[in-house]
Amino acid sequence: MDPSQDNPTVRFKAFFWALALFALFGVVLGILALTNRKQPQTLEDIAAVSRYENLDKVNGAQSAQFSYKEVEAGKTVQVKPQDVFALVGQKLAATKPSAVEKPEQVIPGTAAAKSIEEAAKNAAPVKVVETDPNAPIDPAVMDAGKTEYALCQACHGPDGNGVPGLAPPLAGSEWVNGPVENPIRITLRGLGGPIEVKGVDYNLPAPMMSVAHLSDAQLASVLTYVRNSWGNKASAVTAEQVKAFRGEVGLPALQASDLKSPH
Ligand code: HEC
């Protein structure tokens, strides 16, 4: 290049033009990215979004519930953050929803849809014979049930009165004291969505997960225990009754509307 043409002013201007163009390009890209933000498209996206929403809700409920504790009337202490985090972690691990939870999220005709249909067929209406509500309850079963209740207690509270923001009461609950199949199916499949208990509407952030890892005998004892504690009075639950519903394990969590009306 002819050095006489090397005009610093021109170079300076050209540089700023280039800079301006570059910046403009960035702004346009930014606007495009913002306006083009898509709604979640795939089932995985939807599941991921709901997982994050769930996480937010659980975190909120947990910290509201546990970061401050009333140790005696009018005296509140702050619970150590690490204790709160540990508890939140436990709850989240326990309630982590599966990627595809509801039959309507499943693409028809796929293997997943077929296995859900298959499971639903196996879960054809089961008939259970209710045990005599007036028969005396075996104290050994009550003891065993009390031990198993430690699991339920984490959410439903030591006296079955429920925990605000976490789980509804079992004491006096029509779902507990009503038809035996309701508490059996709830524990085998889990329960989510709005539910009315003792005239109060609950819509809790996290569903109850299935506790089907407990054996028929363990579930029978814990259900006998909750049906006959804190003023509850209902027939004992037998391992045979629980076994009759085992076929439902693995099906999506129940909603209150899937249960037998307790009224
Ligand atoms: C991780 C917390 C958690 C644990 C552990 C848990 N539940 Fe639940 N339970 C819930 C929630 C949340 C609901 C309300 C579900 C809904 O939103 O529809 C519920 C609802 C119920 C209901 C129906 C509503 C009512 O209040 O009567 C029964 C019965 C029940 N649980 C029994 C049990 C038993 C028995 C155990 C122990 C084997 C247990 N739960 C363990 C959270 C839990």
Side-chain angles (χ1 to χ4, degrees), residues 180-202:
V180 71
E181 64 170 76
N182 287 341
I184 294 178
R185 295 179 71 216
I186 290 171
T187 46
L188 288 177
R189 277 176 62 178
L191 183 71
I195 185 167
E196 188 188 318
V197 184
K198 295 193 338 183
V200 178
D201 287 319
Y202 293 86

Side-chain angles (χ1 to χ4, degrees), residues 54-70 76-89 91-92 163-166 205:
N54 212 13
L55 185 142
D56 283 348
K57 285 183 191 162
V58 172
N59 278 350
Q62 295 293 323
S63 46
Q65 181 58 33
F66 291 108
S67 52
Y68 289 92
K69 217 172 193 147
E70 195 163 28
T76 305
V77 295
Q78 187 165 13
V79 181
K80 279 189 242 135
Q82 59 265 44
D83 293 346
V84 177
F85 291 140
L87 200 69
V88 170
K91 298 288 177 224
L92 267 184
V163 173
L166 202 56

Side-chain angles (χ1 to χ4, degrees), residues 69-244:
K69 217 172 193 147
E70 195 163 28
V71 278
E72 54 189 68
K75 193 174 170 196
T76 305
V77 295
Q78 187 165 13
V79 181
K80 279 189 242 135
Q82 59 265 44
D83 293 346
V84 177
F85 291 140
L87 200 69
V88 170
Q90 275 172 18
K91 298 288 177 224
L92 267 184
T95 57
K96 180 173 169 271
S98 52
V100 175
E101 231 176 353
K102 297 190 177 124
E104 59 268 28
Q105 288 181 322
V106 176
I107 300 165
T110 57
K114 283 194 190 112
S115 74
I116 288 183
E117 277 162 31
E118 204 58 36
K121 252 183 258 156
N122 294 338
V126 179
K127 289 237 156 37
V128 280
V129 186
E130 299 260 351
T131 37
D132 178 2
N134 296 314
I137 308 287
D138 182 351
V141 172
M142 286 293 278
D143 276 353
K146 190 171 184 177
T147 310
E148 300 300 342
Y149 183 72
L151 172 63
C152 326
Q153 177 175 334
C155 295
H156 290 285
D159 301 317
N161 285 321
V163 173
L166 202 56
L170 301 179
S173 159
E174 62 271 40
W175 303 102
V176 171
N177 291 283
V180 71
E181 64 170 76
N182 287 341
I184 294 178
R185 295 179 71 216
I186 290 171
T187 46
L188 288 177
R189 277 176 62 178
L191 183 71
I195 185 167
E196 188 188 318
V197 184
K198 295 193 338 183
V200 178
D201 287 319
Y202 293 86
N203 202 349
L204 294 153
M208 173 173 160
M209 74 293 187
S210 151
V211 289
H213 61 280
L214 296 183
S215 70
D216 295 340
Q218 284 171 321
L219 282 174
S221 66
V222 72
L223 292 179
T224 301
Y225 174 76
V226 299
R227 275 159 72 90
N228 291 281
S229 301
W230 325 296
N232 289 349
K233 178 96 189 69
S235 61
V237 180
T238 65
E240 289 69 36
Q241 289 171 330
V242 176
K243 191 169 175 214

